């Protein structure tokens, strides 16, 4: 079984315009996720149309910080035996829409790795198995719940610890199934160091995702709970 690189993981009061043609990519936004999502987001994860796992994002507040915990778990079975497993866990601390600190832990079929990032001045210091990296700016991680990432040209890859150069291009309006029924969402595509497709509704909620594993299988995130807050 080949290993998979989950680049797509690589995991809102809303102040933004909401044009009739969808989410504006360059709209300024201040994000309070609990007003959009409630306390958590849950996606079912499919590989080539087969349910293989889940991804949850949980939000809480303490001491003036927003705490964000993300867990992605995948198990691929062959003849009822687990042939491949993947577990991603991250804990992040945010304040004023800025990532202050993050630790991500990956168990890739028994191979363990850790990424740590911390704010230093106006930038960030990142440590991982790939060494140390320093950014002169604060970065958005590849966790997707915060639509402010759409304005970025660099992101923190929470799987590898690398700073990835990206261009995020907005595309068509599409119908996406959610726990509240079908809704309209805008399709965005990452190009550059990451290739990934992400959908956001008009309020800036993350409602769908698609990307390729390194074996070229298609991984789809399907909303089980992504509309939990008020519009």
């Amino acid at each position: 079984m080949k290993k998979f690189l989950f680049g797509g993981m690589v995991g809102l009061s809303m102040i933004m315009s909401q044009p009739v043609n969808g989410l504006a990519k360059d709209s300024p936004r201040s994000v309070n996720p609990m007003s959009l999502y409630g306390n958590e987001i849950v996606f079912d994860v499919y590989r080539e149309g087969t349910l293989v796992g889940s991804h949850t994002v949980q939000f809480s507040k303490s001491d003036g910080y927003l705490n964000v915990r993300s867990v992605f778990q995948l198990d691929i079975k062959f003849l009822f035996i687990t042939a491949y497993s993947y577990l991603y866990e991250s804990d992040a601390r945010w304040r004023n829409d800025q990532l202050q600190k993050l630790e991500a832990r990956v168990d890739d079929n028994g191979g363990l790795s850790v990424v740590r990032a911390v704010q230093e001045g106006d930038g960030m210091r990142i440590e991982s198995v790939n060494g140390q990296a320093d950014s002169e700016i604060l970065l958005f991680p590849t966790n997707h719940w915060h639509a402010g990432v759409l304005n970025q040209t660099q992101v923190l890859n929470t799987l590898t610890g690398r700073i990835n150069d990206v261009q995020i291009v907005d595309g068509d309006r599409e119908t996406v199934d959610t726990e509240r029924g079908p809704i309209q969402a805008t399709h965005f595509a990452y190009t550059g160091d990451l290739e990934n497709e992400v959908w956001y509704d008009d309020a800036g909620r993350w409602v769908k995702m698609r990307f390729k594993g390194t074996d070229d299988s298609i991984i789809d995130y399907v909303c089980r709970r992504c509309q939990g807050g008020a519009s």
Side-chain angles (χ1 to χ4, degrees), residues 16-24 27 172-174 184-186 201-203:
M16 60 192 305
S17 62
Q18 295 184 21
V20 294
N21 63 341
L23 179 66
S27 298
D172 295 334
R173 298 271 286 161
E174 299 179 15
Q184 288 294 299
T186 304
D201 72 9
D202 293 352

Side-chain angles (χ1 to χ4, degrees), residues 7 10 115 140-142 155-164 194:
V10 289
V115 172
F140 276 78
T142 51
V155 294
L156 167 61
N157 188 319
T158 63
L159 302 182
T160 66
R162 298 188 186 278
I163 300 169
N164 288 161
L194 287 176

Side-chain angles (χ1 to χ4, degrees), residues 136-188:
E136 295 182 354
I137 62 172
L138 292 174
L139 298 169
F140 276 78
T142 51
N143 291 137
H144 302 295
W145 61 268
H146 195 313
V149 71
L150 297 174
N151 298 325
Q152 309 304 306
T153 57
Q154 289 187 318
V155 294
L156 167 61
N157 188 319
T158 63
L159 302 182
T160 66
R162 298 188 186 278
I163 300 169
N164 288 161
D165 294 320
V166 296
Q167 181 180 8
I168 303 175
V169 181
D170 52 336
D172 295 334
R173 298 271 286 161
E174 299 179 15
T175 301
V176 172
D177 290 328
T178 75
E179 79 272 29
R180 292 188 180 180
I183 56 99
Q184 288 294 299
T186 304
H187 178 197
F188 295 88

Side-chain angles (χ1 to χ4, degrees), residues 47-211:
R47 176 179 179 264
E48 298 291 346
T50 299
L51 180 64
V52 291
S54 65
H55 187 121
T56 63
V57 183
Q58 296 176 323
F59 305 102
S60 62
K61 290 184 177 180
S62 62
D63 300 324
Y65 291 100
L66 171 69
N67 303 304
V68 183
R69 177 166 175 76
S70 299
V71 178
F72 168 72
Q73 187 165 10
L74 175 146
D75 291 292
I76 297 174
K77 296 184 182 296
F78 180 71
L79 298 178
F80 306 104
I81 297 173
T82 299
Y84 177 83
S85 64
Y86 190 98
L87 176 64
Y88 167 92
E89 299 176 286
S90 72
D91 292 283
R93 185 173 69 186
W94 291 71
R95 174 176 274 177
N96 299 327
D97 297 292
Q98 295 180 340
L99 178 65
Q100 308 286 306
K101 184 179 181 181
L102 178 141
E103 179 173 301
R105 301 163 297 281
V106 172
D107 182 342
D108 186 353
N109 212 36
L112 305 178
S113 62
V114 179
V115 172
R116 295 183 177 91
V118 64
Q119 180 181 9
E120 287 198 352
D122 294 328
M124 302 198 80
R125 172 158 292 184
I126 304 143
E127 296 179 351
S128 71
V129 293
N130 292 310
Q132 180 176 297
D134 293 294
S135 171
E136 295 182 354
I137 62 172
L138 292 174
L139 298 169
F140 276 78
T142 51
N143 291 137
H144 302 295
W145 61 268
H146 195 313
V149 71
L150 297 174
N151 298 325
Q152 309 304 306
T153 57
Q154 289 187 318
V155 294
L156 167 61
N157 188 319
T158 63
L159 302 182
T160 66
R162 298 188 186 278
I163 300 169
N164 288 161
D165 294 320
V166 296
Q167 181 180 8
I168 303 175
V169 181
D170 52 336
D172 295 334
R173 298 271 286 161
E174 299 179 15
T175 301
V176 172
D177 290 328
T178 75
E179 79 272 29
R180 292 188 180 180
I183 56 99
Q184 288 294 299
T186 304
H187 178 197
F188 295 88
Y190 282 65
T191 61
D193 292 340
L194 287 176
E195 293 187 0
N196 188 26
E197 299 174 79
V198 187
W199 286 255
Y200 291 89
D201 72 9
D202 293 352
R205 298 183 187 93
W206 176 32
V207 296
K208 182 180 177 179
M209 186 162 73
R210 175 178 295 153
F211 56 92

